[in-house]
């Protein structure tokens, strides 16, 4: 059968009153217009629009869409005009072709902002007519299917664009089979090596899998029918890209991905769906936290189904989706499944109610002039972990989910971030901790006196904002250190009849001796407490070196008091040298629990000695730089240090024993353990253990990570319970 006839009979099957002659004419027009053109494969060009129209028919779209599929490349590649199409095939078809043509011209770029812009334009196109996007998706699918004819660099670009824009779009519109096929095709060209290996692995275990699928299908079917649920059961391997994602996420090889097969129970009524769920849970042990009721609470794209996971007949996890035939149609075809309702077919009252939301959306494009209003009403979050917000000028910024106005301010310009004092979102003043939402228009209020503060670090999500804030806080500390160092040194020098200015030459000498590049650097080091004024005096005024002087600096006097206090109660060495002195009372900060080997910094705490923090600890930024003091690890210490290690693993018996054995094998004692099972069948374990140093901790983490069933191992703050 000619492909056109296939398309015509397909359309007739779901829409008996369709204007088939119009489709035929559209084909003839396209064939004539593309006459003489060939595809990269050597086939006549018209095979492409035909293939696209075929996919559109598979999605059961209306006649205008099918015609638009046949004609979609005419305006772009031939002498045909939109006016001509409008005259011959009507305004609707011409409008769709124009939309698809414009969409095709969107420049693609890996740059985040450019992509957000593309995304916005797509939304605008959708707001005008969702069919433009659907036709474009079909066009893209056929292009992906014939991608092997193109040169490699084009393959790569088109595959990346597909993965980043078109597959998520298909997903949001609920057109599962298109999403799956696009992802696997894009996977093939983006990671050819990985794709080939995985395809090979899957093929190798094919016979075994088919046998397994068949057995389980029969078993589920038997249990269901015996319990009065009429149904079809289908099992099938998940698509390669999703298996690959799972392998990456869990860091497991293919052989260890057990739930690569999903089972689907299709029954006739909603009541039978819940009954089937009951049967499944009675027959096999359900895995807690895996049950989802999308029948009572449909997804925004109208997807409905019951999801659960159980321990299957072979002791393996199996995922089961339960739905009615109608729901299955929606699951596979998504938004496209409802198209026939716009075609004037009789609509059952309850389906009308159910799809009212969608119908409203479809029709609202006529009323919604404002695309942001549309964005707000649809709330389509194409890339789940990003939010798209607008500048007052209408530019789009893509930010990670959970971003606040400060992130936005820094994404516009560093100086705006640095002086950000408030924000207006959609015209209303919001606190800086406000979490941005899709479609927000954000206006930053700046104040030249505003400076970043430590609290901002808790709010910001973007790397850019974080880096800038930390940098500024550091600079501020440095400025304070300059003032303090200048003051300390000047006072010390005056006691010996000289000043900072007069002793410039001697200070230069001292700086070199104390390994500072410049005198300014020396002053900063004194301000930070890393070098004492006494050390400077000894180098700068050697004749005074032996003179016993009172330590003039505030830091030094504090240190001295401290020394007096603690020498009387010499305890075992803390393993820390404070400003070169041993046996100072030292405490390790709970917030970051430093280990020998970690870069560290000390802060003098009145009455409590010196508290040692890790150098990268945020808390350090809070503390008064005047109290900051140089500390270092004393290599010979044998003290043990408590650290907290969080292990995320699957919640299966025996694993905990395995984990604790791993600690013992590394010669590490566990002091405390907190274990908690999560709803999704995993366990979060926090161990407080005593380790010698960073090297030992690292080897514990390494050996824990190697245990089968362990997903992640992290050093965490010790006050985590
Ligand atoms: Mn095309």
């Amino acid at each position: 059968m000619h492909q056109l006839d296939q398309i015509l009979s397909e359309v007739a099957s779901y829409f008996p009153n369709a204007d088939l002659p119009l489709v035929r004419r559209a084909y003839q027009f396209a064939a004539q217009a593309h006459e003489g053109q060939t595809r990269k494969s050597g086939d006549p060009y018209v095979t492409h629009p035909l293939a696209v129209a075929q996919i559109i028919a598979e999605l059961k779209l209306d006649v205008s869409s099918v015609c638009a599929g046949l004609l979609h490349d005419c305006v772009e590649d031939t002498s045909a005009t939109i006016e001509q199409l409008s005259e011959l095939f009507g305004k609707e078809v011409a409008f769709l072709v124009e939309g698809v043509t414009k969409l095709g011209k969107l420049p693609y770029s890996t740059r985040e902002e450019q992509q957000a812009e593309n995304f916005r334009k797509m939304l605008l196109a959708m707001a005008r007519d969702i069919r433009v996007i659907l036709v474009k998706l079909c066009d893209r699918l056929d292009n992906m299917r014939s991608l092997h004819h193109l040169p490699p660099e084009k393959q790569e670009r088109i595959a990346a664009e597909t993965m980043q824009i078109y597959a998520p779009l298909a997903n949001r519109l609920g057109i599962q089979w298109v999403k799956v096929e696009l992802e696997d095709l894009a996977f093939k060209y983006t990671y050819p090596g990985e794709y080939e290996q995985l395809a090979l692995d899957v093929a190798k275990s094919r016979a075994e899998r088919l046998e397994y699928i068949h057995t389980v299908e029969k078993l589920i079917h038997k249990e269901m029918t015996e319990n009065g649920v009429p149904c079809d059961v289908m099992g099938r391997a998940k698509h390669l890209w999703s298996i690959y994602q799972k392998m990456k996420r869990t860091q497991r090889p293919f052989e260890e991905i057990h739930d690569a097969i999903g089972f689907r129970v299709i029954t006739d009524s909603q009541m039978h769906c819940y009954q089937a769920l009951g049967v499944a849970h009675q027959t096999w042990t359900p895995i807690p936290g895996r049950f989802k009721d999308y029948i009572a609470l449909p997804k925004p794209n109208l997807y409905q189904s019951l999801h659960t996971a159980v321990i299957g007949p072979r002791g393996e996890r199996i995922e089961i989706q339960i739905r009615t035939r109608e729901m299955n149609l929606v699951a596979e075809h998504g938004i496209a499944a409802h198209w026939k309702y716009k075609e004037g077919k009789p609509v059952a009252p309850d389906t009308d109610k159910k799809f009212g939301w969608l119908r409203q959306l479809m029709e609202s494009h006529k009323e919604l002039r404002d695309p942001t209003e549309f964005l707000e009403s649809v709330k389509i979050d194409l890339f789940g972990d990003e939010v798209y917000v607008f500048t007052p000028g209408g530019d789009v910024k893509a930010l990670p989910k959970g971003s606040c106005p400060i992130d936005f301010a820094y994404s516009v310009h560093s100086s705006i971030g640095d002086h950000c004092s408030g924000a207006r979102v959609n015209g209303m003043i919001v606190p800086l901790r406000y979490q941005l939402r899709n479609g927000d228009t954000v206006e930053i209020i700046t104040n030249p006196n505003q400076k970043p503060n430590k609290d901002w670090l808790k709010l910001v999500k973007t790397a850019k904002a974080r880096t800038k804030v930390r940098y500024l806080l550091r600079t501020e500390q440095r400025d304070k250190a300059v003032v303090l160092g200048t003051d300390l040194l000047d006072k010390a020098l005056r006691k010996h009849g000289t000043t900072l200015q007069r002793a410039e030459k001697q200070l230069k000498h001292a700086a070199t001796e104390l390994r500072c590049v410049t005198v300014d650097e020396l002053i900063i080091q004194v301000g930070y407490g890393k070098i004492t004024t006494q050390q400077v005096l000894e180098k700068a005024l050697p004749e005074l070196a032996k003179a016993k002087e009172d330590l003039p600096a505030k830091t030094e006097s504090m240190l001295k008091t401290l020394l007096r206090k603690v020498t009387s109660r010499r305890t075992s060495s803390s393993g820390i040298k404070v400003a070169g002195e041993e046996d100072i009372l030292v405490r390790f900060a709970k917030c970051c629990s430093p280990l020998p080997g970690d870069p560290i910094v000390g802060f003098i705490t009145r009455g409590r000695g010196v508290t040692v923090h890790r150098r990268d600890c945020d808390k350090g930024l809070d503390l008064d730089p005047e109290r900051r003091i140089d500390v270092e690890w004393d290599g010979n210490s044998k003290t043990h240090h408590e650290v907290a290690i969080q292990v995320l693993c699957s919640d299966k018996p025996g694993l905990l024993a395995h984990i604790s054995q791993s600690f013992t094998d590394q010669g590490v004692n566990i002091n405390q353990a907190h274990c908690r099972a999560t709803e999704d069948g995993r366990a979060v374990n926090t161990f407080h253990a005593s380790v010698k140093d960073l090297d030992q901790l690292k080897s514990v983490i390494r050996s824990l990570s190697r245990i089968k069933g362990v997903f992640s191992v992290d050093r965490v703050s010790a006050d985590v319970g």
Side-chain angles (χ1 to χ4, degrees):
M1 199 178 1
H2 189 277
Q3 201 173 357
L4 177 66
D5 295 322
Q6 266 182 43
I7 295 169
L8 293 173
S9 72
E10 179 86 46
V11 174
S13 76
Y14 61 83
F15 187 31
N17 305 326
D19 185 358
L20 297 182
L22 188 73
V23 178
R24 211 180 275 279
R25 280 200 288 122
Y27 166 72
Q28 280 154 358
F29 185 92
Q32 213 158 41
H34 291 295
E35 179 93 70
Q37 297 177 345
T38 52
R39 302 186 77 183
K40 286 277 183 311
S41 59
D43 293 333
Y45 193 85
V46 78
T47 55
H48 167 62
L50 260 178
V52 173
Q54 170 100 53
I55 301 169
I56 293 170
E58 279 167 42
L59 280 178
K60 302 195 194 315
L61 297 190
D62 63 355
V63 166
S64 298
S65 306
V66 176
C67 290
L70 287 167
L71 299 166
H72 79 274
D73 277 334
C74 279
V75 177
E76 176 97 53
D77 301 339
T78 78
S79 54
T81 62
I82 291 290
E83 291 71 34
Q84 215 176 345
L85 295 184
S86 176
E87 215 170 281
L88 290 168
F89 304 100
K91 268 191 192 143
E92 215 174 316
V93 173
F95 169 78
L96 292 177
V97 171
E98 192 181 14
V100 174
T101 307
K102 275 189 188 158
L103 266 187
K105 283 189 182 145
L106 286 182
Y108 171 72
S109 157
T110 43
R111 277 174 52 228
E112 206 175 59
E113 280 164 41
Q114 187 73 55
Q115 207 172 293
E117 182 57 20
N118 287 353
F119 167 70
R120 190 175 70 107
K121 284 188 183 154
M122 291 237 206
L123 278 181
L124 299 189
M126 267 168 85
R128 284 161 67 206
D129 197 315
I130 191 97
R131 290 173 297 178
V132 171
I133 296 288
L134 294 171
V135 172
K136 185 68 200 164
L137 269 181
C138 298
D139 178 31
R140 176 51 59 113
L141 183 56
D142 186 60
N143 287 336
M144 287 301 291
R145 284 174 178 172
S146 40
L147 201 58
H148 54 279
H149 296 297
L150 295 186
E153 66 277 4
K154 267 198 159 173
Q155 289 178 346
E156 223 168 273
R157 184 183 61 80
I158 295 174
E161 190 184 48
T162 299
M163 195 62 105
Q164 290 172 28
I165 297 179
Y166 290 95
L169 205 51
N171 184 41
R172 287 299 151 177
L173 295 172
I175 313 167
Q176 211 51 31
W177 70 269
V178 172
K179 173 213 164 200
V180 161
E181 193 176 339
L182 285 177
E183 280 183 347
D184 271 0
L185 285 166
F187 178 25
K188 184 171 163 185
Y189 295 99
T190 325
Y191 303 97
E194 289 84 344
Y195 175 87
E196 214 168 295
Q197 183 58 49
L198 185 57
L200 207 68
D201 286 342
V202 170
K204 258 194 277 178
S205 56
R206 190 166 175 268
E208 198 184 313
R209 263 156 209 272
L210 285 180
E211 192 264 336
Y212 173 77
I213 289 176
H214 193 61
T215 315
V216 178
E217 274 177 357
K218 272 209 302 212
L219 198 67
I220 296 177
H221 190 263
K222 180 170 152 282
E223 290 295 337
M224 292 297 162
T225 39
E226 274 175 13
N227 287 284
V229 181
C231 66
D232 292 328
V233 181
M234 283 160 288
R236 64 172 175 194
K238 292 188 178 164
H239 70 299
L240 295 180
W241 177 246
S242 80
I243 298 175
Y244 179 69
Q245 290 296 97
K246 178 131 197 184
M247 285 164 60
K248 265 189 22 189
R249 206 167 49 235
T250 60
Q251 303 199 334
R252 305 281 196 81
F254 172 68
E255 298 75 50
E256 291 176 30
I257 304 294
H258 297 307
D259 49 0
I261 297 166
F263 290 90
R264 195 167 289 166
V265 175
I266 311 287
T267 180
D268 56 356
S269 67
Q270 195 165 309
M271 195 192 76
H272 277 139
C273 289
Y274 287 102
Q275 208 174 322
L277 179 77
V279 174
H281 282 187
Q282 241 165 44
T283 316
W284 302 286
T285 312
I287 297 165
R290 296 296 297 274
F291 168 58
K292 299 254 159 50
D293 186 349
Y294 292 120
I295 290 183
L297 299 165
K299 288 190 185 180
N301 61 23
L302 294 186
Y303 174 88
Q304 284 188 300
S305 192
L306 297 176
H307 288 190
T308 189
V310 298
I311 306 292
R314 298 189 185 174
E316 303 203 317
R317 279 159 185 254
I318 52 177
E319 281 175 23
I320 305 179
Q321 300 178 341
I322 303 166
R323 53 177 89 134
T324 64
R325 262 170 259 287
E326 193 196 12
M327 291 171 191
N328 194 46
L329 197 70
V330 175
E332 284 299 314
H333 295 288
I335 214 157
H338 318 300
W339 205 256
K340 57 186 171 188
Y341 298 111
K342 256 202 102 181
E343 289 275 324
K345 266 191 148 192
V347 179
D350 79 306
T351 35
D352 190 33
K353 209 195 273 168
K354 207 185 298 168
F355 300 131
W357 177 91
L358 181 78
R359 288 164 50 79
Q360 225 178 344
L361 173 65
M362 291 296 121
E363 281 149 20
S364 65
H365 66 257
K366 291 181 195 115
E367 287 94 56
L368 279 184
R369 293 264 176 276
D370 182 1
T372 55
E373 197 184 327
F374 174 81
L375 194 70
E376 187 56 32
S377 71
V378 188
K379 287 262 189 257
I380 288 183
D381 184 6
L382 184 55
F383 305 101
D385 43 5
E386 286 187 325
V387 289
Y388 289 83
V389 294
F390 295 87
T391 65
D395 288 337
V396 183
K397 295 276 170 199
L399 296 168
K401 212 170 208 163
S403 289
C404 68
I406 302 168
D407 291 299
F408 176 87
Y410 277 106
S411 81
V412 176
H413 198 279
S414 299
S415 68
I416 296 184
D418 289 347
H419 301 296
C420 166
S421 65
R424 234 177 253 128
V425 168
N426 306 325
M428 308 258 284
I429 298 273
V430 297
L432 287 178
R433 63 168 188 280
Y434 173 86
Q435 294 203 345
L436 298 175
R437 295 191 303 183
N438 260 337
D440 278 349
T441 299
V442 189
E443 190 187 335
I444 297 297
I445 303 162
T446 57
N447 177 336
N449 298 324
Q450 178 72 35
K451 281 184 299 187
N453 64 58
K454 174 71 182 16
D455 291 336
W456 285 17
L457 288 175
K458 290 180 198 131
L459 303 177
V460 298
K461 271 279 177 321
T462 52
K464 185 178 181 187
R466 173 160 289 270
T467 317
K468 293 278 179 196
V469 172
R470 287 191 76 123
Y471 172 77
L472 265 157
L473 290 173
R474 291 246 155 82
T475 313
E476 204 172 69
Q477 276 194 351
R478 202 178 156 87
D479 292 347
K480 278 190 196 164
V482 171
V483 174
L484 180 71
T486 309
D487 189 45
L488 287 175
L489 260 187
D490 196 51
K491 271 186 196 150
L493 288 167
R494 276 173 201 278
K495 286 206 170 175
H496 299 285
T498 181
T499 66
L500 214 50
Q501 268 102 21
R502 273 188 278 151
E504 203 192 326
K505 217 173 149 192
Q506 291 97 315
L507 285 174
K508 246 183 202 150
H509 169 74
T512 320
E513 289 279 298
L514 294 164
R515 290 197 209 119
C516 294
V517 185
T518 60
V519 174
D520 287 344
E521 187 60 33
L522 179 72
I523 291 171
I524 288 166
Q525 297 297 326
V526 171
Y528 277 148
K530 288 181 183 172
I531 293 173
T532 63
T533 50
Q534 188 62 26
Q535 280 172 291
V536 179
L537 289 180
E538 279 169 15
K539 301 292 180 195
L541 312 166
E543 66 278 8
L544 294 171
K546 289 187 178 69
K548 281 277 168 195
E549 291 293 332
D550 268 353
L551 295 176
K554 190 177 167 191
T555 308
E556 279 159 328
S557 69
M558 276 196 274
L559 189 58
K560 227 181 148 198
T561 330
L562 203 64
L563 265 169
R564 254 200 321 272
K565 259 189 198 161
V566 296
T567 38
S568 53
R569 41 171 165 157
R570 263 170 204 273
T571 46
S572 68
S573 168
S574 60
I576 290 282
K577 278 187 192 170
V578 179
E581 303 274 354
E582 288 172 53
D583 292 331
I584 305 271
L585 184 62
V586 159
R587 221 167 56 87
F588 292 97
K590 275 278 186 210
C591 49
C592 55
S593 313
L595 278 184
D598 281 327
I600 45 172
V601 60
F603 289 92
I604 297 170
T605 325
R606 264 198 202 91
R608 285 195 297 175
V610 170
T611 307
V612 176
H613 288 267
R614 259 149 71 183
R615 212 169 265 266
D616 57 3
C617 177
D618 282 344
K619 198 85 179 281
L621 293 169
D622 264 347
L623 299 166
D624 186 355
E626 283 183 37
R627 296 175 173 275
R628 201 168 145 141
I629 192 162
D630 205 17
V631 292
E632 59 185 320
W633 295 104
D634 173 1
N636 305 317
S637 162
K638 294 196 175 48
T639 331
H640 278 73
H641 300 262
E642 186 166 286
V643 287
I645 300 169
Q646 195 166 71
V647 180
L648 183 64
C649 63
S650 74
D651 186 16
K652 71 178 185 216
L655 196 52
L656 206 53
H658 205 142
I659 290 171
S660 61
Q661 184 60 42
S662 204
F663 278 97
T664 317
D665 291 347
Q666 301 296 323
V668 171
N669 272 333
I670 299 173
N671 306 336
Q672 259 187 73
H674 302 276
C675 307
R676 176 169 64 82
T678 64
E679 283 190 342
D680 58 354
R682 302 204 273 188
V684 183
N685 309 292
T686 311
F687 298 96
H688 292 248
S690 297
V691 297
K692 281 204 300 277
D693 55 20
L694 197 59
D695 285 344
Q696 196 181 29
L697 175 69
K698 281 183 181 163
S699 67
V700 171
I701 290 179
R702 261 198 306 275
S703 83
L704 288 172
S705 311
R706 277 198 291 261
I707 300 174
K708 214 174 125 179
V710 167
F711 306 126
S712 68
V713 183
D714 293 295
R715 176 179 182 183
V716 293
S717 151
D719 38 23
V720 170

